[in-house]
Amino acid sequence: MIHKNESHTTDLSSIKVESRQSSIRSIKPKQMSILDNVFFCIFLCLIGGVATASQGAVNAKLGQYTGQGLSSTFVFCIGAVVSCIYFLIEVKGKPPANLVLMMAKAPWWSWTGGVIGAVFVIITILTIPKLGAGTTTAIIVCAQMIFSCLIDHFSIFDIPFRQYTLWRGLATIGLVACVTIIAKF
């Protein structure tokens, strides 16, 4: 005989019967993050694309007034402040107790992002006045796409494998053709 009660589980002959309330709790959906929404992520990427295209032109203009090296320094100082504010919002003002331990476990190459970012900023400051924002951005995006496909294909930086297929190869050729047209006209 099995005895069911709304508030507890009864064990009869090694058979556990869950209460109705606990089984309802177990089917509640997982709390979703807004980043689980693909359309929101696409929207963020579009904003990122606009920001990246704007950043080069803005940095190049600042470089005309402050000098290229100082312009890059200002950009990264302001970026560091904004990143710190985002970090404090993300952790709700309380960094994790094991933050230093977590940082120590990061691979050495994961610390090179700032250097890579500086190279990007300096290159845009140097090239946009000569090539223009459209051509510079087109070349950079083309290089990003080609190298990103190689990162996927060879699992560089511990990124999950994604094969460089014929279609990706054709798209790469299309990108190069687009950059050529943008640069020429």
Side-chain angles (χ1 to χ4, degrees):
M1 181 172 162
I2 298 176
H3 174 71
K4 280 178 108 175
N5 186 320
E6 291 293 321
S7 63
H8 70 278
T9 301
T10 305
D11 186 1
L12 292 176
S13 306
S14 302
I15 298 174
K16 291 190 177 183
V17 180
E18 287 187 20
S19 73
R20 183 172 175 195
Q21 287 176 340
S22 67
S23 61
I24 289 172
R25 271 187 245 119
S26 67
I27 60 171
K28 283 185 181 176
K30 178 187 150 199
Q31 185 78 322
M32 289 189 61
S33 163
I34 193 164
L35 292 176
D36 291 330
N37 183 315
V38 172
F39 295 110
F40 183 73
C41 289
I42 291 169
F43 175 71
L44 288 179
C45 289
L46 292 172
I47 291 172
V50 170
T52 301
S54 302
Q55 180 188 25
V58 169
N59 294 346
K61 182 54 79 177
L62 182 61
Q64 290 175 349
Y65 292 95
T66 64
Q68 296 153 337
L70 187 57
S71 165
S72 176
T73 303
F74 282 139
V75 166
F76 276 93
C77 287
I78 293 167
V81 170
V82 172
S83 294
C84 286
I85 291 169
Y86 172 73
F87 171 70
L88 291 172
I89 292 169
E90 180 185 36
V91 298
K92 298 176 177 84
K94 296 180 180 179
N98 62 345
L99 180 61
V100 174
L101 180 63
M102 290 168 34
M103 291 168 57
K105 289 182 178 182
W108 69 267
W109 47 262
S110 68
W111 294 97
T112 63
V115 174
I116 294 168
V119 167
F120 171 76
V121 168
I122 292 167
I123 286 171
T124 58
I125 290 170
L126 295 173
T127 58
I128 285 179
K130 178 70 176 169
L131 300 176
T135 300
T136 299
T137 303
I139 293 168
I140 288 171
V141 168
C142 185
Q144 283 177 321
M145 291 304 304
I146 293 169
F147 191 63
S148 294
C149 288
L150 294 174
I151 288 171
D152 284 347
H153 185 77
F154 294 107
S155 297
I156 302 170
F157 308 122
D158 295 333
I159 299 298
F161 171 81
R162 186 166 180 196
Q163 187 173 5
Y164 194 80
T165 62
L166 173 65
W167 290 108
R168 283 181 158 209
L170 291 173
T172 300
I173 293 168
L175 278 170
V176 172
C178 287
V179 169
T180 304
I181 292 168
I182 290 171
K184 186 159 179 104
F185 300 103

